[in-house]
């Protein structure tokens, strides 16, 4: 015990007194593109047994400017299963001098959940010791003791754009006798140094420059290096489990987290029987899914075993709410009452696709969906939305794998990949050009797949808000009158449609009696300048297609002059085409299709991508000319 106390004392003494943390000691290379600099961050993990882990954290971070203030708050998540001790926080001035000290009593204690959370065990201690002048430094330390050993956080140096690091270190001492598996992922932005000794293994990142955010860059998690950890035997809320392989973990998950809260009660059976299910498996699943959507609503819940166990299905049935875990398991139970098997599927939801490693089992994931196998393929159900269409996953959950939890273990299964044609924006419009530079337009809008996802909020809006939202989507047009008709959003298919009638000013320009106007009335085509040399890879997060068919009608006495040539642009990132068809001497149809592929590309390819998008922008900005010419009116075009 004395040796333990001496170790902690030495660590804290070194942390607080041995270093000069004045801002002028920061190397210039670490100030570049940085709003804050991690001067030193240490995390000491002591794994004592299958159900005891101790973590000592200390950190010193210098805030360089106002944009870096977001890195200043000290936030310590905790719950009833862990103990937080020895909290110390210092505020240092530009010269590294301590100007204020804080302790645990200065922290605010909040529920660690979104504002719509209802039942929550998780809490967070928060302190925001900002300074009125920059630069300043925040220094803090605390100790956590936990009985849960299933979560050993990833070790990475930055975790955000525009922050750099002098020294980030983790020491792991494992005296539990249980094997600790590690997975190291280095990147061009950093490489971990590993050394082992009598006190355990030390992982260190030294002098990591800030990564400056660039347009279209993937998430920081995709870019930065990291070390992952997974203990082969673990404890979660007193229940011991096995992470030697996915099957062992899946059996534990099924027996300990799902089965205890899953009950096909007589009441649930009666609910399902009342639906009068007939037809194919897909038709039955669809009817049950829509019933579940009508009956429930999403509410964040973080109770149960570490926030990983769903609410009891009977409780969901009675109360009509739950989080993604609860609603997914409730839907699974409804299907079970209809003798339809389905699988609770853990997923990593996010902007950039993240997958589980088949060779590195660990407790992970941030969302749950349901997979229903059928003879005609898997059905995928997102259970947190009352509006989302049947058998549709958003782009943040497609093109990756899930942990499908079965009684016999876990199976890694891929979610769907939606090609561009399934994520389409279609516009068909008739535009009347007026001599006062205004237009009158009738247009049909139709969205599917990933483009349906971005327009789903329209489904929940009232008429006024929906009207304003649609106007904002085309706010580059000077609209003085707009009417929306036949708005539909189907829960059977991922589709949204509506019709628009509008009048807009200043769409065209007059030079003498000639009139010029742009070929794309509902789409403002632009692409940011390439700027300096690209430093990061870039991402197109989902494949999509824009398919527009615009018919223009001239004013009385005007005809179309010389037409632009059709254009076709092809690249590895997608393709574009625009064609022109004269219907008669007063009408012209413009067909325009843009297809973008999903992908993450090397930075060296950004100039090619920029050239492709710039060419598309130039083609979309093509102007049509109509002239007042009575002779042309009598000629066949």
């Amino acid at each position: 015990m004395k040796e333990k106390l001496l170790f902690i004392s030495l660590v804290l003494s070194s942390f607080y007194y041995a270093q000069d943390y004045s801002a002028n000691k920061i190397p210039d290379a670490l100030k570049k593109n940085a709003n804050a600099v991690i001067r030193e961050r240490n995390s000491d993990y002591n794994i004592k047994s299958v159900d005891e882990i101790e973590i000592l954290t200390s950190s010193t971070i210098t805030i360089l400017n106002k944009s870096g203030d977001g890195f200043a708050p000290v936030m310590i998540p905790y719950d009833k299963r862990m103990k937080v001790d020895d909290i110390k926080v210092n505020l240092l001035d530009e010269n590294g001098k301590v100007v204020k000290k804080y302790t645990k009593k200065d922290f605010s204690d909040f529920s660690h959940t979104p504002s719509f959370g209802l039942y929550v065990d998780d809490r967070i201690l928060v302190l925001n010791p900002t300074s009125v002048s920059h630069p300043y430094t925040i220094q803090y330390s605390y100790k956590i003791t936990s009985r849960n050993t299933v979560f050993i956080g990833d070790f990475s140096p930055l975790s955000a754009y525009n922050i750099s690091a002098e020294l980030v270190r983790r020491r792991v001492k494992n005296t539990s006798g249980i094997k600790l598996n590690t997975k190291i992922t280095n990147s061009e932005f950093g490489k971990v140094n590993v050394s082992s000794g009598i006190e355990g293994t030390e992982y260190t990142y030294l002098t990591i420059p800030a990564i400056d955010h660039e347009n279209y860059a993937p998430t920081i998690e995709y870019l930065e290096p990291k070390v992952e950890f997974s203990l082969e035997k673990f404890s979660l809320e007193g229940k011991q489990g096995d992470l030697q392989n996915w099957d062992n973990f899946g059996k534990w998950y099924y027996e300990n987290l799902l089965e205890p809260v899953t009950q096909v009660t007589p009441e649930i059976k009666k609910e399902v029987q009342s639906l009068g299910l007939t037809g194919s498996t897909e038709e039955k699943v669809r009817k049950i899914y829509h019933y579940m959507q009508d009956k429930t609503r999403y509410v964040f819940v973080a109770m149960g075993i570490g926030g990983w166990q769903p609410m009891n299905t009977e409780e969901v049935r009675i109360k009509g709410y739950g989080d993604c875990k609860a609603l997914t398991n409730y839907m699974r139970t409804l299907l079970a009452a209809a003798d339809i098997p389905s699988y609770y599927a853990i997923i990593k939801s996010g902007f950039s696709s993240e997958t589980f490693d088949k060779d590195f089992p660990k407790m992970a994931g941030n969302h749950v969906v349901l997979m229903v196998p059928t003879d005609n393929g898997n059905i995928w159900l997102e259970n947190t939305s009352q509006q989302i269409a049947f058998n549709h996953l958003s782009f943040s959950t497609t093109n990756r794998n899930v942990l499908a939890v079965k009684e016999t273990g876990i199976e890694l299964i891929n979610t769907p990949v939606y090609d561009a044609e399934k994520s389409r924006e279609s516009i068909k419009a008739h535009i009347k050009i007026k001599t006062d530079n205004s237009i009158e337009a009738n247009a049909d809008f139709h969205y599917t797949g990933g483009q349906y996802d971005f327009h789903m909020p329209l489904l929940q809006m009232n008429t006024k808000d929906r009207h304003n939202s649609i106007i904002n989507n085309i706010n580059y047009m000077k609209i003085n009158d707009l009417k929306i008709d036949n708005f539909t959003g189907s829960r059977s298919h991922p589709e949204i449609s509506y019709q628009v009638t509008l009048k807009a000013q200043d769409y065209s320009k007059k030079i003498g009696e000639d009139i010029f106007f742009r070929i794309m009335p509902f789409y403002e085509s632009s692409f940011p300048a390439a700027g300096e040399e690209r430093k990061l890879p870039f991402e197109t997060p989902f494949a999509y297609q824009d398919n527009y068919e615009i018919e223009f009608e001239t004013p009385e006495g005007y005809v179309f002059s010389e037409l632009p040539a059709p254009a076709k642009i092809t690249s590895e990132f997608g393709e574009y085409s625009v064609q022109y068809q004269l219907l008669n001497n007063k009408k012209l149809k413009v067909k325009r299709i843009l297809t973008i592929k999903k992908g993450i590309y090397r930075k060296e390819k950004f100039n090619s991508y920029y050239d492709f998008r710039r060419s598309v922008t130039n083609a979309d900005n093509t102007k049509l000319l109509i002239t007042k010419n009575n002779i042309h009116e009598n000629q066949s075009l």
Side-chain angles (χ1 to χ4, degrees), residues 269-306:
K269 287 183 178 180
K270 187 176 179 180
E271 280 184 301
V272 173
Q273 289 172 354
S274 70
L275 298 177
L277 301 176
T278 58
S280 66
T281 299
E282 180 178 351
E283 290 170 328
K284 293 176 182 178
V285 174
R286 186 194 307 271
K287 193 163 189 177
I288 295 173
Y289 180 64
H290 289 161
Y291 168 78
M292 186 277 299
Q293 286 181 302
D294 291 336
K295 179 182 174 63
T296 62
R297 60 189 175 92
Y298 176 84
V299 174
F300 183 85
V301 178
M303 292 187 73
I305 301 181

Side-chain angles (χ1 to χ4, degrees), residues 225-454:
K226 65 180 176 179
V227 184
E228 299 172 74
F229 303 89
S230 182
L231 202 61
E232 286 196 348
K233 302 286 184 180
F234 65 87
S235 180
L236 179 61
E237 197 66 10
K239 297 182 182 293
Q240 295 187 13
D242 187 329
L243 261 169
Q244 294 183 67
N245 54 60
W246 283 119
D247 280 344
N248 289 355
F249 180 60
K251 292 174 187 175
W252 175 88
Y253 203 113
Y254 187 88
E255 294 172 2
N256 290 275
L257 300 189
L258 296 185
E259 278 298 283
V261 296
T262 304
Q263 299 172 321
V264 182
T265 62
E267 290 78 10
I268 287 178
K269 287 183 178 180
K270 187 176 179 180
E271 280 184 301
V272 173
Q273 289 172 354
S274 70
L275 298 177
L277 301 176
T278 58
S280 66
T281 299
E282 180 178 351
E283 290 170 328
K284 293 176 182 178
V285 174
R286 186 194 307 271
K287 193 163 189 177
I288 295 173
Y289 180 64
H290 289 161
Y291 168 78
M292 186 277 299
Q293 286 181 302
D294 291 336
K295 179 182 174 63
T296 62
R297 60 189 175 92
Y298 176 84
V299 174
F300 183 85
V301 178
M303 292 187 73
I305 301 181
W308 283 74
Q309 187 173 59
M311 290 169 56
N312 189 287
T313 50
E314 183 63 8
E315 187 177 2
V316 177
R317 184 192 72 81
I318 293 171
K319 296 182 176 179
Y321 58 69
D323 62 7
C324 66
K325 305 184 300 295
L327 298 180
T328 296
N329 199 46
Y330 177 58
M331 181 63 195
R332 184 175 77 96
T333 308
L334 291 174
L335 291 174
D339 296 321
I340 300 173
S342 61
Y343 302 109
Y344 186 93
I346 306 161
I347 196 168
K348 294 181 180 180
S349 174
F351 186 84
S352 299
S353 298
E354 288 189 74
T355 59
F356 296 97
D357 186 340
K358 64 181 180 62
D359 298 319
F360 192 78
K362 62 177 287 193
M363 187 74 139
N366 59 3
H367 189 50
V368 179
V369 296
L370 194 68
M371 189 275 283
V372 188
T374 75
D375 292 338
N376 296 320
N378 296 332
I379 295 173
W380 294 91
L381 302 177
E382 169 58 67
N383 302 284
T384 59
S385 170
Q386 295 171 302
Q387 301 294 335
I388 196 168
F390 172 75
N391 196 18
H392 174 73
L393 296 180
S394 71
F395 82 92
S396 64
T397 52
T398 53
N399 198 44
R400 63 202 72 201
N401 61 12
V402 301
L403 305 178
V405 181
K406 303 182 178 182
E407 190 172 3
T408 55
I410 276 177
E411 182 180 355
L412 274 70
I413 301 175
N414 292 329
T415 61
V417 177
Y418 298 151
D419 58 24
E421 287 73 17
K422 290 183 178 180
S423 295
R424 179 178 287 176
E425 176 187 61
S426 299
I427 301 175
K428 288 188 175 182
H430 180 82
I431 310 291
K432 289 184 178 181
I433 305 296
K434 299 293 185 176
T435 55
D436 61 357
N437 296 332
S438 68
I439 59 171
E440 293 179 356
N442 297 295
D444 295 329
F445 291 77
H446 187 71
Y447 303 96
T448 63
Q451 306 228 45
Y452 159 88
D453 295 339
F454 289 109

Side-chain angles (χ1 to χ4, degrees), residues 90 250 300 583-584:
N90 289 341
F300 183 85
L583 303 179
N584 55 46

